[in-house]
């Protein structure tokens, strides 16, 4: 839910195309069936995405600036395929909070993330200085030990859109609402 003061929790992201999402969900289920972790909470199929840039809670003026500035991001890459790589526990294997899959897009995700950073900086928003890590979160888990078993991933998955999204937090998990969404045009 948006904050009572009118702030919105926003991020730029790529979501898989419908056919890619179906293959991804089937793989996610197989992975989670073999994962042993405390408090495993799968990411809902509609919420599977790649965050290019998390922007946090922003007021109305900042959101308006982001709506205008970030519309250049889709030009940074054409539609692309993403290969799923190794499973990772993030932020570390000692203190895992997230089960994710590494991603290889041949540099397309990195180009989009760089364009997103540039656009946000252009409207005066400080961005996280850490390097972009292309990954897709499959599940959240309680801190503690976890064990993973490799599951062969599906073939490359199609990504063809990018957008600015609002994260609506609820007890049942986050839902995402597109503030704008456009096809990649690189």
């Amino acid at each position: 839910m948006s904050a009572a003061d009118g702030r919105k929790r926003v991020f730029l992201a790529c979501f898989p195309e419908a056919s890619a999402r179906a293959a991804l969900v089937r793989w996610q289920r197989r992975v989670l069936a073999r994962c042993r972790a405390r408090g495993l909470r799968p990411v809902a199929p509609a919420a599977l995405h790649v965050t290019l840039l998390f922007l946090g809670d922003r007021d109305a003026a900042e959101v308006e600036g982001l709506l205008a500035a970030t519309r250049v991001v889709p030009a940074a890459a054409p539609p692309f395929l993403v290969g799923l790589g190794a499973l990772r526990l993030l932020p570390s294997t000692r203190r895992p909070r997230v089960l994710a899959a590494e991603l290889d897009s041949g540099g397309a995700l990195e180009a989009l993330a760089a364009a997103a950073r540039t656009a946000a900086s252009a409207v005066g928003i400080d961005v996280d200085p850490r390097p972009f890590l292309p990954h897709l979160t499959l599940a959240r888990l309680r801190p503690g030990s976890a064990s993973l078993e490799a599951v062969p991933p599906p073939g490359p998955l199609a990504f063809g859109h990018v957008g600015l999204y609002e994260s609506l937090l609820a007890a049942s998990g986050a839902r995402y609402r597109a503030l704008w969404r456009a096809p990649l045009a690189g």
Side-chain angles (χ1 to χ4, degrees):
M1 207 172 289
S2 294
D5 64 0
R7 296 172 72 81
K8 293 181 179 184
R9 185 176 176 89
V10 295
F11 62 99
L12 276 141
C14 278
F15 281 75
E17 297 298 318
S19 61
R21 181 178 309 281
L24 183 57
V25 169
R26 287 189 299 273
W27 182 70
Q28 176 195 34
R29 287 181 183 142
R30 289 194 314 269
V31 167
L32 297 182
R34 295 182 181 183
C35 179
R36 302 289 177 254
R38 290 181 43 215
L40 193 66
R41 293 173 310 191
V43 172
L48 290 166
H49 69 279
V50 179
T51 300
L52 300 170
L53 182 62
F54 179 72
L55 297 156
D57 292 327
R58 299 292 163 188
D59 65 32
E62 290 172 314
V63 171
E64 286 303 314
L66 287 165
L67 285 168
T70 57
R71 291 195 186 265
V72 301
V73 173
F80 56 90
L81 297 176
V82 171
L84 296 168
L87 295 174
R88 290 187 67 165
L89 294 169
L90 299 174
S92 71
T93 55
R94 289 183 311 146
R95 302 192 74 171
R97 302 282 317 250
V98 167
L99 169 61
E102 292 179 355
L103 303 175
D104 179 6
S105 66
L109 286 168
E110 291 84 350
L112 290 168
R117 284 174 179 262
T118 299
S121 294
V123 292
I125 294 180
D126 292 329
V127 296
D128 187 344
R130 292 177 292 182
F132 174 68
L133 174 65
H135 71 280
L136 190 132
T137 299
L138 300 171
R140 301 193 183 289
L141 43 113
R142 287 197 185 105
S145 63
S147 64
L148 303 176
E149 187 177 324
V151 177
L157 305 172
F159 281 70
H161 289 80
V162 67
L164 182 66
Y165 293 85
E166 177 182 10
S167 179
L168 303 164
L169 303 177
S172 60
R175 285 184 310 107
Y176 306 125
R177 182 175 69 91
L179 301 176
W180 71 259
R181 180 179 181 266
L184 296 170

